[in-house]
Amino acid sequence: ANNTLIGYLCVLVCGESSNNTVIGNECWSGTECVVLKESSDNNVINNNLRSDHGDCVWIWVGSNNTITDNRCRSDGSGFCINLLLADDSTVVGNNCSGGSDSIYLGVSSENRVAGNTCSGNPWSGIWLDKSPNNMVVNNVCSNDTYGIYLTYSDGAFLSGNMMNGCGMLIEGDVPSHWNTHEIDDSNSANGHPVYYFKNQVGAIVPAGAGQVILANCTDFVIKNQDLCNSTVGVLLGFSSSLYLTNNH
């Protein structure tokens, strides 16, 4: 505990460690760059570089960790940043590319994911998996299969995210996986707003959408929209009596 590691070319594995600062490391090979596991709290992981394959930052069971300004490049295997059973943490300003996923949160809650750049991932830019009540704001996701991917998660707050060459995907088998999110139209797909509606009856989706998502809605009209290159143009969950016409 209470260590500061600066400027090493190394792979760091810290088990049951708290109050550490891991800064300025370069990892060019191996399977992981920075691993904190088994009740690792209040750590700062800043300005590390990862290139080759595997995970850049992996936190397994922890809280109040800060992951900022890391550069993670991978060959398509592993996660760039992987939080599993990790809560109340901050993931800000990281540049992630080429991993299977850029930023993955699994069974993790009350985290803030903001201002990250995610690109060229064969799966997702940002993935919330069974992870409730997380904030995802002002990220840029480009040319990922799924820009932002929500699976079996409740209560996500999304604002100001830009998705280029991709869009959002929501999956879940109960209504709360769909209709408990706050997703405003400052989120965009290919330069056009993401329109997310929940628990509404009877409306026409505004023109000029980049992606349309309906959660527990009825009697909606979706027409004359150009929704190309946005992962899923029209995404429907627990919705019925819809009219779609003349969309591209």
Side-chain angles (χ1 to χ4, degrees), residues 134-149:
N134 291 286
M135 177 181 291
V136 180
V137 296
N138 300 328
N139 301 280
V140 178
C141 299
S142 301
N143 301 316
D144 307 305
T145 300
Y146 312 119
I148 299 175
Y149 188 26

Side-chain angles (χ1 to χ4, degrees), residues 116-184:
N116 301 282
T117 300
C118 308
S119 62
N121 300 282
W123 195 246
S124 61
I126 299 169
W127 183 4
L128 308 184
D129 183 25
K130 301 179 181 69
S131 295
N133 304 321
N134 291 286
M135 177 181 291
V136 180
V137 296
N138 300 328
N139 301 280
V140 178
C141 299
S142 301
N143 301 316
D144 307 305
T145 300
Y146 312 119
I148 299 175
Y149 188 26
L150 309 179
T151 57
Y152 308 100
S153 297
D154 299 344
F157 178 86
L158 275 64
S159 183
N161 300 289
M162 298 174 59
M163 293 166 283
N164 304 306
C166 55
M168 289 186 57
L169 182 64
I170 299 174
E171 292 184 0
D173 52 14
V174 297
S176 66
H177 295 149
W178 290 80
N179 67 351
T180 59
H181 308 301
E182 297 295 331
I183 303 172
D184 63 37

Side-chain angles (χ1 to χ4, degrees), residues 1-158:
N2 302 309
N3 299 298
T4 301
L5 300 91
I6 301 177
Y8 292 102
L9 179 67
C10 58
V11 175
L12 304 171
V13 180
C14 308
E16 298 185 15
S17 297
S18 299
N19 303 308
N20 297 287
T21 299
V22 183
I23 184 171
N25 301 281
E26 297 183 4
C27 307
W28 294 96
S29 62
T31 56
E32 284 89 21
C33 181
V34 180
V35 178
L36 304 172
K37 61 182 182 178
E38 299 171 0
S39 301
S40 294
D41 306 322
N42 304 307
N43 297 286
V44 175
I45 304 169
N46 172 257
N47 196 33
N48 298 282
L49 169 65
R50 170 77 170 117
S51 185
D52 196 1
H53 62 278
D55 302 333
C56 178
V57 178
W58 180 24
I59 296 179
W60 177 27
V61 188
S63 63
N64 295 304
N65 293 290
T66 300
I67 305 165
T68 59
D69 299 316
N70 300 282
R71 291 170 292 156
C72 305
R73 297 191 300 269
S74 184
D75 62 358
S77 61
F79 304 99
C80 291
I81 297 173
N82 181 3
L83 274 62
L84 183 61
L85 295 168
D87 304 324
D88 298 300
S89 294
T90 299
V91 182
V92 171
N94 302 280
N95 192 318
C96 304
S97 62
S100 61
D101 305 270
S102 278
I103 300 171
Y104 173 78
L105 275 61
V107 198
S108 301
S109 63
E110 306 294 341
N111 297 287
R112 179 172 176 258
V113 180
N116 301 282
T117 300
C118 308
S119 62
N121 300 282
W123 195 246
S124 61
I126 299 169
W127 183 4
L128 308 184
D129 183 25
K130 301 179 181 69
S131 295
N133 304 321
N134 291 286
M135 177 181 291
V136 180
V137 296
N138 300 328
N139 301 280
V140 178
C141 299
S142 301
N143 301 316
D144 307 305
T145 300
Y146 312 119
I148 299 175
Y149 188 26
L150 309 179
T151 57
Y152 308 100
S153 297
D154 299 344
F157 178 86
L158 275 64

